[in-house]
Amino acid sequence: MNNNILLIEDDTQMKDFIVDYLKDFNYNCKAFENGKDVLSELENNKNYDIVILDLMLPDIDGFDLFKKIKKVLDIPVIISSARGDIGNKIHGFELGADDYLSKPYEPRELVLRVENIFKKNLSNKIKISNLIIDQSTRSVSIDDFEIDLTKIEFEILIFLVSNLNINTSREQILHATSLDENTKNRTIDTHISNLRYKIGDDSKDPKYIKSVWGHGYKFIG
């Protein structure tokens, strides 16, 4: 499946060139020339994986648009701008930009920066069936629906997934989390039970977490 890129660039010639160039590398790129249209687009379509943002737009300052986009969608952003001075770069990174490309630049460099961000994000994500765990944001989702886990539940989930298809004891689970060392086995069981409930698992017919009688648990996948 191709990655979807949102490009904001008010130079029509450059915009069209970047769109075509990214398509050569199997990226789906949709482009806009002003902030108003971008925000309208994001109201109806949030299926984007990365944003390439020019700062010098006709209707809104790029940094202001950056903040508005981040409120709507938590997504990697590459700033692409002729404002290449150190002050603008520092401000961009302070806001949370993932990269900053000063114009003019070779389009191949843009592709390499995009690829680098996708590789970095991919390494932080674990996908098992329809369960996705993002270690960088400590978030968990099933079928794009985010699951609200406690700190302990997330730690247990990461430990179990890291030991996929391996029997793990309650003691191992305890030492892999920030639980107190005097925590009883039944407390571990309670956390597992809550975790199962939140990810829609059934202890009698488990899809993810299997009980290992007399020992502990095993994450299957």
Side-chain angles (χ1 to χ4, degrees), residues 8-25:
I8 305 112
E9 172 58 64
D10 72 329
D11 184 323
T12 302
Q13 185 175 357
M14 186 173 186
K15 172 177 67 70
D16 294 341
F17 175 76
I18 291 175
V19 169
D20 289 339
Y21 194 85
L22 289 171
K23 284 181 180 178
D24 289 339
F25 290 85

Side-chain angles (χ1 to χ4, degrees), residues 44-96:
N44 304 304
N45 180 17
K46 294 181 175 60
N47 188 31
Y48 290 102
D49 302 294
I50 196 168
V51 171
I52 300 170
L53 171 64
D54 182 19
L55 295 180
M56 300 172 68
L57 301 172
D59 61 337
I60 185 173
D61 180 76
F63 286 131
D64 290 334
L65 180 58
F66 181 104
K67 289 183 279 190
K68 290 178 182 294
I69 290 172
K70 281 290 191 177
K71 286 182 179 179
V72 176
L73 190 62
D74 185 14
I75 186 173
V77 177
I78 295 176
I79 292 177
S80 160
S81 178
R83 285 156 57 176
D85 60 279
I86 189 63
N88 277 292
K89 287 185 177 181
I90 289 173
H91 187 47
F93 285 119
E94 285 177 339
L95 288 177

Side-chain angles (χ1 to χ4, degrees), residues 6-187:
L6 176 61
L7 171 67
I8 305 112
E9 172 58 64
D10 72 329
D11 184 323
T12 302
Q13 185 175 357
M14 186 173 186
K15 172 177 67 70
D16 294 341
F17 175 76
I18 291 175
V19 169
D20 289 339
Y21 194 85
L22 289 171
K23 284 181 180 178
D24 289 339
F25 290 85
N26 297 317
Y27 290 114
N28 296 322
C29 183
K30 192 169 184 179
F32 298 88
E33 297 182 10
N34 62 70
K36 180 181 177 181
D37 290 342
V38 170
L39 295 175
S40 177
E41 166 72 7
L42 290 178
E43 286 181 4
N44 304 304
N45 180 17
K46 294 181 175 60
N47 188 31
Y48 290 102
D49 302 294
I50 196 168
V51 171
I52 300 170
L53 171 64
D54 182 19
L55 295 180
M56 300 172 68
L57 301 172
D59 61 337
I60 185 173
D61 180 76
F63 286 131
D64 290 334
L65 180 58
F66 181 104
K67 289 183 279 190
K68 290 178 182 294
I69 290 172
K70 281 290 191 177
K71 286 182 179 179
V72 176
L73 190 62
D74 185 14
I75 186 173
V77 177
I78 295 176
I79 292 177
S80 160
S81 178
R83 285 156 57 176
D85 60 279
I86 189 63
N88 277 292
K89 287 185 177 181
I90 289 173
H91 187 47
F93 285 119
E94 285 177 339
L95 288 177
D98 294 82
D99 209 336
Y100 198 116
L101 263 175
S102 300
K103 295 179 180 177
Y105 55 80
E106 291 295 325
R108 185 70 181 101
E109 183 180 2
L110 174 63
V111 172
L112 291 173
R113 302 288 184 101
V114 169
E115 290 175 347
N116 183 59
I117 289 175
F118 281 135
K119 287 177 183 177
K120 180 181 177 182
N121 288 350
L122 186 62
S123 67
N124 287 324
K125 290 185 179 181
I126 302 170
K127 188 176 188 303
I128 301 174
S129 185
N130 59 342
L131 177 69
I132 298 176
I133 305 167
D134 190 330
Q135 298 182 84
S136 61
T137 60
R138 297 181 70 85
S139 62
V140 178
S141 62
I142 295 179
D143 295 330
D144 294 326
F145 180 78
E146 190 163 341
I147 309 299
D148 185 20
L149 299 184
T150 66
K151 180 176 182 290
I152 298 299
E153 290 164 357
F154 185 82
E155 290 174 350
I156 292 174
L157 178 61
I158 288 296
F159 176 73
L160 292 176
V161 168
S162 299
N163 292 275
L164 192 66
N165 296 315
I166 297 174
N167 294 343
T168 56
S169 68
R170 291 176 177 84
E171 289 74 21
Q172 287 175 306
I173 294 172
L174 172 62
H175 293 306
T177 70
S178 52
L179 285 166
D180 185 271
E181 289 187 0
N182 296 316
T183 299
K184 304 297 183 182
N185 282 346
R186 63 176 175 271
T187 303

